[in-house]
């Protein structure tokens, strides 16, 4: 006596899902596999339901679909390594900004003003000289000294790595 398709799905879908989940190791993929297989089984249900073991046949369809999917995926998927996307919460950027602000605070006032006007405000030497009331060579000198001081500070605060042979 043939079993109705809706009755078969209601009774066997949980078992097919468990089977497919163990087979694929991924719930979302198991869901796709079982849905695809049940869709194809529905189209052929008249023939499948007349078999001695319809569930064994449908389970075999799941295996075949999985193997076919695996082969298809290995043929069509790129082989390059893909870096995982890292989503930042902004804490690192804020920490770097705070560290830079504290380094800038250690500079003399004119050097600090020259660096901030150049790198944060994007002004030219002439515009900075006008803002600070000095000449352009003085601006270049102040920025040069400030960057040297920041470089020394960054080098001093960098971790000291020792080579092991």
């Amino acid at each position: 006596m043939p079993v109705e398709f809706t009755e078969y799905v209601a009774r066997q879908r949980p078992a097919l899902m468990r089977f497919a989940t163990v087979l694929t190791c991924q719930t979302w993929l198991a869901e796709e596999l079982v849905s695809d297989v049940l869709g194809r089984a529905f189209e052929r249900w008249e023939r499948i339901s007349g078999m001695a073991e319809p569930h064994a046949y449908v389970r075999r369809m799941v295996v075949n679909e999985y193997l076919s999917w695996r082969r298809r995926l290995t043929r069509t998927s790129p082989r390059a390594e893909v870096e995982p996307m890292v989503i930042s919460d902004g804490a690192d950027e804020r920490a770097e900004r705070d560290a830079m602000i504290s380094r800038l605070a250690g500079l003399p006032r004119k050097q600090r003003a020259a660096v901030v006007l150049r790198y944060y405000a994007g002004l030219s030497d002439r515009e900075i000289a006008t803002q600070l009331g000095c000449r352009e060579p003085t601006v270049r000198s102040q920025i040069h000294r400030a960057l040297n001081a920041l470089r020394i500070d960054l080098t001093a605060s960098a971790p000291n790595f020792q080579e092991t042979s």
Side-chain angles (χ1 to χ4, degrees), residues 34-152:
V34 170
S35 294
D36 289 350
V37 165
L38 288 176
R40 283 201 323 280
F42 174 75
E43 297 169 354
R44 305 179 198 143
W45 190 248
E46 193 172 298
R47 186 174 54 85
I48 293 172
S49 66
M51 296 179 170
E53 294 284 337
H55 184 64
Y57 186 85
V58 174
R59 192 173 48 235
R60 181 64 190 175
M61 287 176 71
V62 169
V63 170
N64 288 343
E65 180 65 17
Y66 170 71
L67 294 175
S68 163
W69 171 83
R70 273 303 224 214
R71 283 190 298 266
R72 193 170 37 240
L73 182 64
T74 58
R75 281 194 313 265
T76 60
S77 64
R79 300 272 195 266
E81 292 292 320
V82 178
E83 292 292 321
M85 184 191 308
V86 177
I87 299 174
S88 174
D89 64 354
D92 292 337
E93 291 84 5
R94 285 191 295 281
E96 284 181 28
R97 185 194 66 218
D98 292 345
M100 182 54 74
I101 289 172
S102 72
R103 285 188 200 103
L104 287 171
L107 294 174
R109 289 182 322 174
K110 281 210 173 193
Q111 288 181 12
R112 184 181 338 145
V115 168
V116 170
L117 288 170
R118 163 67 57 76
Y119 295 104
Y120 287 90
L123 300 181
S124 67
D125 288 347
R126 178 176 287 141
E127 294 167 321
I128 296 170
T130 303
Q131 293 276 319
L132 296 179
C134 62
R135 298 180 347 189
E136 288 181 50
T138 305
V139 169
R140 287 191 290 272
S141 172
Q142 293 290 333
I143 290 173
H144 177 75
R145 288 180 185 149
L147 292 178
N148 279 341
L150 290 172
R151 231 177 259 122
I152 290 168

Side-chain angles (χ1 to χ4, degrees), residues 4-37:
E4 288 292 322
F5 183 74
T6 54
E7 184 181 314
Y8 173 80
V9 171
R11 203 168 6 118
Q12 298 297 334
R13 184 173 172 80
L16 287 171
M17 277 300 299
R18 285 190 302 273
F19 176 73
T21 301
V22 170
L23 193 62
T24 63
C25 298
Q26 296 176 354
T27 308
W28 66 270
L29 184 57
E31 185 74 42
E32 267 189 29
L33 252 160
V34 170
S35 294
D36 289 350
V37 165

